[in-house]
C-alpha cells in the first residue's frame, strides 16, 4: 500500500482511505452490516489504514458499525477518524444544526469513544464550523481532548482559509476534510488548498467520486432509492443531472481509451493533485473497494490530466453541492 503524510509533520496513512458513511446513511437502501464489516476487513487486509466516520452518520450507527469491525487486534491497523458538530433533528430528517460549544465538544467525544469502543480517536474533526461560537473556543476544547489522551490529532471539515488560520494558531490542525473531485474543485479557488500547503496541513478529500456520479453508473435520477438524499441534491436534479451526465460520459470515454474504469480515472486525478491529498472514497461492496484501490496503480501523464481539466474545469458542474441549508453550513 502506498502511503502519504497528513501535513508537513503529521501521521502517515494509506494513500487512499475508506469513507464509511454510506454503509449506514444517506445513500438509500437498507445497509447490510455483515457485508460492510467484510468491506472494512478487506480494506485493512489490503493495507488501508484511514477509516472515516462521524457521530451523525446514522446517527450513531456508523460509529458502532466501525467499532465492531475494528474490535480486538484490528484496532492496531487503523488510523481512526471521526467527527462531531452536526446535530440532527429527530423530527425532520433534512434539518441540521451545528454545535461548537466547548461543553458539547467534550460530551460528543465521550459519546464517540463509547460507540467506537476505543480509548482514543486518532483524528477528531469538527464536522462543520459553528458561526455562533468562536473557532478559538471550539479548538481550545478539542485541544483539551488531546491533553486528556482521548484524541491524537485535530481536524476541521469544510472550513474556510481564514478559519483554518485562526484554528491552527490555537492548536496545530493536522488535516482539513472537504469535498474535492473533478466536479467539486472549490478548494482550488477559495484559497483553502494554498493555505493548507502554506501551513503544512494535510487535505482529506471526501466524495472524490462525486457522490457516485463520476463512476458512470448513474444514468437517471430514478436510479436512486426513495430515501436517497441525492434526490434532494441540486446536482442530481432535472436539467442539472442531464448536463452533468454529459460531462461524466466524456470522462468515461477517456477512461475506456486508457483501459481503466471511470472511477479509477477520477480517483487517479485526485491523487495526482498533490502528495498531501488523501482521498476517502466510500463503498459498501468489496468489488468496488478493490476497483478503487487499484486506482493507485493508474498513472496520468500531462496530456491526460489536461484532457480531464478540459472536461471538468472549475465551475463546470451544474448545481450547488448541497441544497440551500447544506451550503449555508459550509464555512466560506
Amino acid at each position: 500500500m502506498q502511503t502519504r503524510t497528513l501535513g508537513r509533520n503529521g501521521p502517515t496513512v494509506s494513500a487512499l482511505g475508506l469513507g464509511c458513511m454510506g454503509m449506514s446513511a444517506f445513500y438509500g437502501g437498507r445497509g447490510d452490516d455483515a457485508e460492510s464489516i467484510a468491506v472494512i476487513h478487506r480494506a485493512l487486509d489490503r493495507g488501508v489504514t484511514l477509516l472515516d466516520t462521524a457521530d451523525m452518520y446514522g446517527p450513531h450507527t456508523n460509529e458502532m458499525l466501525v467499532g465492531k469491525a475494528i474490535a480486538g487486534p484490528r484496532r492496531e491497523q487503523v488510523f481512526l477518524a471521526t467527527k462531531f458538530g452536526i446535530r440532527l433533528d429527530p423530527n425532520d430528517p433534512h434539518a441540521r444544526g451545528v454545535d461548537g460549544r466547548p461543553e458539547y465538544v467534550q460530551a460528543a467525544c465521550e459519546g464517540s469513544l463509547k460507540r467506537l469502543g476505543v480509548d482514543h480517536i486518532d483524528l477528531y474533526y469538527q464536522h462543520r464550523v459553528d458561526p455562533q461560537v468562536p473557532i478559538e473556543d471550539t479548538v481550545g476544547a478539542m485541544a483539551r481532548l488531546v491533553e486528556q489522551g482521548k484524541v491524537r490529532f485535530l481536524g476541521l471539515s469544510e472550513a474556510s482559509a481564514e478559519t483554518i488560520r485562526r484554528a491552527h494558531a490555537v492548536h496545530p490542525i493536522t488535516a482539513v476534510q472537504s469535498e474535492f473531485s473533478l466536479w467539486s474543485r472549490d478548494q482550488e479557488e477559495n484559497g483553502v488548498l494554498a493555505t493548507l500547503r502554506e501551513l503544512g496541513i494535510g487535505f482529506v478529500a471526501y466524495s472524490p467520486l462525486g457522490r457516485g456520479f463520476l463512476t458512470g453508473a448513474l444514468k437517471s435520477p430514478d436510479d436512486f432509492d426513495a430515501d436517497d438524499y441525492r434526490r434532494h441534491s441540486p446536482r442530481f436534479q432535472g436539467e442539472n443531472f442531464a448536463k452533468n451526465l454529459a460531462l461524466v460520459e466524456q470522462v468515461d470515454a477517456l477512461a475506456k481509451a486508457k483501459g481503466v474504469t471511470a472511477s479509477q480515472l477520477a480517483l487517479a486525478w485526485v491523487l495526482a493533485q498533490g502528495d498531501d491529498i488523501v482521498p476517502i472514497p466510500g463503498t459498501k461492496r468489496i468489488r468496488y473497494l478493490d476497483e478503487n484501490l487499484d486506482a493507485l496503480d493508474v498513472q496520468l501523464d500531462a496530456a491526460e490530466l489536461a484532457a480531464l481539466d478540459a472536461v471538468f474545469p472549475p465551475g463546470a458542474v451544474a448545481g450547488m453541492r448541497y441544497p440551500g441549508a447544506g451550503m449555508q453550513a459550509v464555512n466560506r
Side-chain angles (χ1 to χ4, degrees):
M1 170 58 68
Q2 300 171 32
T3 59
R4 294 188 168 187
T5 301
L6 286 178
R8 195 170 294 134
N9 301 302
T12 298
V13 298
S14 52
L16 274 181
L18 177 62
C20 299
M21 180 190 80
M23 297 174 178
S24 305
F26 299 115
Y27 288 140
R30 185 171 179 82
D32 183 327
D33 284 0
E35 186 172 16
S36 294
I37 289 172
V39 169
I40 293 172
H41 288 172
R42 172 70 171 174
L44 298 180
D45 290 342
R46 287 201 57 176
V48 172
T49 59
L50 175 59
L51 298 183
D52 184 88
T53 182
D55 59 3
M56 64 90 66
Y57 299 160
H60 300 157
T61 54
N62 195 242
E63 284 187 327
M64 291 186 282
L65 172 69
V66 171
K68 184 176 180 180
I70 67 171
R74 292 275 188 182
R75 175 65 179 101
E76 301 305 313
Q77 299 176 260
V78 174
F79 186 84
L80 181 60
T82 192
K83 315 176 199 74
F84 75 94
I86 297 180
R87 303 187 75 162
L88 302 182
D89 183 346
N91 299 314
D92 182 354
H94 301 297
R96 301 281 187 275
V98 179
D99 195 339
R101 294 172 301 128
E103 59 269 30
Y104 181 71
V105 174
Q106 184 77 39
C109 181
E110 301 288 356
S112 288
L113 289 169
K114 184 175 181 180
R115 287 186 293 272
L116 289 162
V118 299
D119 61 5
H120 71 275
I121 294 161
D122 296 304
L123 176 58
Y124 199 42
Y125 293 102
Q126 183 183 17
H127 207 159
R128 291 292 186 272
V129 175
D130 187 344
Q132 304 303 318
V133 179
I135 191 65
E136 291 82 358
D137 293 353
T138 303
V139 174
M142 295 169 71
R144 286 190 285 278
L145 297 173
V146 177
E147 294 168 1
Q148 295 165 9
K150 295 174 180 177
V151 169
R152 292 178 62 206
F153 300 99
L154 302 185
L156 303 175
S157 180
E158 293 287 3
S160 70
E162 178 188 359
T163 297
I164 293 164
R165 289 184 185 279
R166 289 170 54 193
H168 195 61
V170 175
H171 186 281
I173 299 299
T174 294
V176 168
Q177 180 179 143
S178 294
E179 184 173 357
F180 186 66
S181 69
L182 275 169
W183 86 335
S184 292
R185 301 181 61 171
D186 309 27
Q187 314 307 322
E188 294 174 293
E189 299 187 294
N190 62 15
V192 166
L193 267 175
T195 299
L196 298 181
R197 285 165 175 163
E198 175 192 338
L199 299 176
I201 299 171
F203 183 55
V204 175
Y206 77 80
S207 293
L209 295 175
R211 306 181 189 280
F213 214 157
L214 292 170
T215 66
L218 300 172
K219 303 300 184 183
S220 164
D222 296 331
D223 291 340
F224 302 129
D225 289 329
D227 57 345
D228 190 317
Y229 99 97
R230 288 173 292 188
R231 284 183 173 271
H232 306 282
S233 177
R235 291 187 174 180
F236 292 92
Q237 294 177 326
E239 291 183 4
N240 289 346
F241 190 103
K243 290 177 180 178
N244 294 331
L245 183 60
L247 298 177
V248 171
E249 287 171 347
Q250 293 180 63
V251 173
D252 196 39
L254 292 170
K256 285 183 169 65
K258 191 172 177 64
V260 298
T261 68
S263 298
Q264 290 169 338
L265 191 64
L267 286 173
W269 180 88
V270 176
L271 289 162
Q273 301 312 300
D275 291 340
D276 53 345
I277 299 176
V278 179
I280 52 168
T283 184
K284 46 189 176 184
R285 301 283 185 267
I286 286 177
R287 61 188 171 124
Y288 295 136
L289 170 74
D290 286 338
E291 178 182 327
N292 291 343
L293 291 177
D294 288 345
L296 290 165
D297 297 323
V298 177
Q299 300 297 315
L300 302 178
D301 60 29
E304 290 167 328
L305 288 169
L308 286 166
D309 282 338
V311 173
F312 266 114
V317 175
M320 301 295 287
R321 293 198 283 127
Y322 291 101
M327 285 307 300
Q328 289 175 13
V330 172
N331 181 231
R332 291 175 284 175

